[in-house]
Amino acid sequence: MKAEMTIGTAMAVLTLAVAAGNALAQDIPETELNVVGSISSLSQYKDFEVPFWSETIPEASGGKVTATLSGFDELGLKGGEVLRLIGQGVIQIGAPIPAYLAADDPTNEILEMPGLSPDAATARKMAAAAEPVYARMYEEKFGVKLLALAAYPGQMLFCNAEIAALADIAGKKVRVSGRAQSEFIDALGGTPVTLAFGEVVPALQNKVADCAITGTLPGYSAKWYEVATHLYGQIVTWGHLSYAVNLDFWNGLDPALQNLLQTEMDALEETLWQAAAEQTDLGVACNTGGAGCTLEPAGTMTLVEPSEGDREALVGLLKEKLLPAWAARCSEDCVTGFNETVGRLIDVKL
């Protein structure tokens, strides 16, 4: 599928997938699914996951499959527990966020390295290469089947003080998610701070944190533009999210239902990747009051364009410090998985 397709075209793919699924609907037993989705306040959940489970799946199954859906935050979960709960069978289908799972297995960080993917097309290519590595780890270590691997909009630095270059992070307290981002801030001379997404606005407002990293549109949706003044316009990472199902539960489903769910998930994955690309640009425009903003109100943050030197410095940091540090805490199989997939794309062998 071409990377340049619009969200409208991607939604058409979902429609075609539904049509294909309807042909199988007569063979599908009536099934009620319990699903724990991603962060309920963000677009990926509200605009894509909710209609997927409330409309797409029921329609594709001819009304035979329905689902109850809640975001993991609505259930009082912080996110890191989701994969384990799927493996234990407490959750049937869920949306684990790999960056939250570094402590469970460093394999989850393969795609989370700062500087790895400067744009959406590269991020999609990296994820496609690494997806079999994640799938094997999910199944062998957690008893979970990976259904899809997508991303939020590109993540950038939001700061409540003037920043002109990455070197200005030195001495600043920066909210991070995941160990890879923490090591990135450490390498720049900053102090990483772990905060839940909902705690960031008061932290920036009260100077508990000077900067924070998140997706451009999620940051806008949470009104970070009200407490941050500068947006550093270099994508640090892409926050990935996965969709997975308990393996025993999956193996017990009718094959026709398995086929329908995987077909629809493949289409959702493509749609979410295209949305991530478009929403990255939209988030930048709306946080800074740019001409491309179609939402209200528009923020007034200062967009700081990164220099070529900073772009090169980030890639150098990735290859010389961040990846070697990650490899040191990862298993031999994990490093081999990287070398045979993402490593080949960036010409790095750990």
Side-chain angles (χ1 to χ4, degrees), residues 5 11 13 34 37 39 54 77 107 123 158-159 178 181 187 191 197 203 210 253 263 297 303 306-307 313 317 324 338:
M5 77 175 173
M11 293 304 290
V13 172
N34 292 309
I39 302 172
S54 64
L77 302 175
T107 304
F158 291 69
C159 293
Q181 286 188 9
T191 301
F197 186 79
D210 302 301
L253 293 178
T263 297
L303 177 61
S307 67
L317 197 62
F338 172 87

Side-chain angles (χ1 to χ4, degrees), residues 208-293:
V208 173
D210 302 301
C211 302
I213 301 173
T214 197
T216 60
L217 192 63
Y220 171 81
S221 299
K223 299 185 178 180
W224 286 20
Y225 58 84
E226 292 184 350
V227 293
T229 58
H230 288 66
L231 179 67
Y232 190 68
Q234 181 167 7
I235 293 175
V236 176
T237 62
W238 292 81
H240 295 82
L241 71 159
S242 61
Y243 297 95
V245 57
N246 177 272
L247 188 59
D248 289 338
F249 174 74
W250 175 263
N251 289 337
L253 293 178
D254 186 277
L257 178 53
Q258 290 179 342
N259 187 34
L260 181 141
L261 287 173
Q262 188 62 71
T263 297
E264 300 299 341
M265 271 288 173
D266 289 346
L268 177 65
E269 180 182 80
E270 293 293 341
T271 300
L272 286 173
W273 273 107
Q274 186 58 36
E278 295 183 8
Q279 290 179 355
T280 298
D281 295 336
L282 180 63
V284 171
C286 289
N287 280 302
T288 62
C293 182

Side-chain angles (χ1 to χ4, degrees), residues 12-143:
V13 172
L14 281 176
T15 302
L16 289 173
V18 169
N22 284 335
L24 299 173
Q26 60 185 11
D27 300 322
I28 294 174
E30 292 190 3
T31 307
E32 172 68 28
L33 301 173
N34 292 309
V35 183
V36 175
S38 59
I39 302 172
S40 63
S41 62
L42 301 184
S43 170
Q44 275 65 20
Y45 180 88
K46 295 187 293 185
D47 298 336
F48 300 101
E49 291 178 48
V50 169
F52 179 81
W53 293 110
S54 64
E55 300 171 16
T56 302
I57 292 300
E59 183 179 344
S61 65
K64 292 184 177 180
V65 181
T66 57
T68 58
L69 171 69
S70 299
F72 68 71
D73 56 312
E74 294 178 306
L75 300 177
L77 302 175
K78 294 185 176 180
E81 320 95 317
V82 174
L83 184 62
R84 294 189 295 273
L85 292 174
I86 299 172
Q88 293 164 11
V90 176
I91 296 173
Q92 292 176 346
I93 300 174
I97 295 179
Y100 293 175
L101 301 168
D104 292 79
D105 192 314
T107 304
N108 285 290
E109 298 176 282
I110 284 179
L111 297 173
E112 306 304 318
M113 294 289 116
L116 183 65
S117 302
D119 53 61
T122 303
R124 182 69 180 99
K125 187 183 299 183
M126 297 291 181
E131 192 162 351
V133 180
Y134 281 79
R136 184 169 61 250
M137 181 263 294
Y138 275 26
E139 182 170 337
E140 293 177 355
K141 186 164 185 174
F142 297 96

Side-chain angles (χ1 to χ4, degrees), residues 163-174:
I163 177 174
L166 287 178
D168 294 334
I169 293 300
K172 288 183 168 59
K173 301 184 291 281
V174 184

